[in-house]
Amino acid sequence: MGAVVCQLSISLDGFVAGPNQSLENPIGEGGMRLHQWLFETASWRQQQGLEGGARTPDSEVVDEVVRGVGAYIMGRRMFGGGEGEWDETWTGWWGEEPPYHAPVFVLTHHSRAALSMRGGTTFTFVTDGIDSALEQARSAAGDMDIVIAGGASTAQQYLAAGMLDELYLHIVPVVLGAGERLLENVGDPTREPVKVVASPAVTHVKYRIVHQ
């Protein structure tokens, strides 16, 4: 059975999204600064079908986090489309071929039929909580890893419930001052750093979550 892992870009003051998130600005004011390091890597550009980018330690981290993934879990806001009953014309932020290429389980309070996209991504909408989403993701992933893709609330729920095995933080040297903080309402999980990769743009720290 694979591990349950989460990897997120985070500011120095602990935010994974800026303030005033909206449909037009889903990661909030200044939130895009947390991901600029990613967009400049050769690995990310290759995954998007683009040329160029830098082959750096950051690029190697991008390769690492998509290796061996069998399924993803994300929250409703990360999938997008607003709150309440679904507008079924909304199929996510990523166009006709999302970057996941695996089953994705979306936590929501409103039912919706599964949505199959190009490239092997199928979104399944889960209305009965994080345990059910994880059970379905395990069945889909087999021996491969499951990634908790975000946002912060979804990561918090799995961390607080003791279901997360690994947390990989990409710490960007910016201060957002406000927004959506990651490590709130998660209790006091024991984290052991097992890997550090540094570059001028970002410091990557991988933690193993110690289950008592």
Side-chain angles (χ1 to χ4, degrees):
M1 186 168 60
V4 182
V5 305
C6 180
Q7 60 93 19
L8 292 169
S9 291
I10 187 169
S11 69
L12 284 177
D13 51 345
F15 295 101
V16 294
N20 302 317
Q21 296 176 66
S22 65
L23 284 176
E24 294 74 26
N25 192 4
I27 56 176
E29 296 171 5
M32 193 61 70
R33 297 168 67 196
L34 300 179
H35 304 281
Q36 195 58 47
W37 69 270
L38 171 69
F39 304 144
E40 295 174 359
T41 64
S43 295
W44 183 85
R45 294 184 64 82
Q46 184 177 4
Q47 291 168 21
Q48 309 305 311
L50 304 172
E51 297 181 352
R55 182 61 64 181
T56 62
D58 295 335
S59 190
E60 292 173 8
V61 168
V62 176
D63 284 334
E64 177 187 357
V65 298
V66 299
R67 191 180 301 126
V69 177
Y72 294 84
I73 297 172
M74 68 175 59
R76 164 86 186 248
R77 281 201 293 173
M78 182 164 179
F79 182 79
E83 300 180 356
E85 297 294 335
W86 285 101
D87 172 3
E88 298 203 6
T89 63
W90 178 265
T91 58
W93 306 104
W94 307 279
E96 296 182 357
E97 187 170 341
Y100 300 102
H101 310 295
V104 180
F105 298 88
V106 181
L107 294 163
T108 176
H109 297 295
H110 299 274
S111 61
R112 180 176 177 176
L115 178 64
S116 295
M117 306 290 286
R118 288 183 187 172
T121 300
T122 298
F123 294 104
T124 298
F125 301 91
V126 180
T127 58
D128 49 351
I130 63 172
D131 295 88
S132 175
L134 183 56
E135 181 180 353
Q136 293 180 61
R138 286 199 191 282
S139 178
D143 293 333
M144 301 178 76
D145 290 344
I146 297 163
V147 170
I148 309 301
S153 175
T154 300
Q156 288 165 358
Q157 290 178 67
Y158 280 99
L159 188 55
M163 296 178 180
L164 201 64
D165 299 312
E166 184 177 286
L167 181 62
Y168 206 167
L169 297 182
H170 314 297
I171 304 166
V172 183
V174 301
V175 175
L176 293 180
E180 194 166 15
R181 196 182 294 277
L182 176 61
L183 296 176
E184 287 187 342
N185 305 313
V186 297
D188 187 21
T190 301
R191 298 171 296 276
E192 291 183 348
V194 295
K195 183 175 183 179
V196 178
V197 178
S199 81
V202 57
T203 302
H204 313 273
V205 184
K206 181 186 290 188
Y207 296 94
R208 178 185 299 116
I209 308 301
V210 179
H211 300 293
Q212 303 299 329

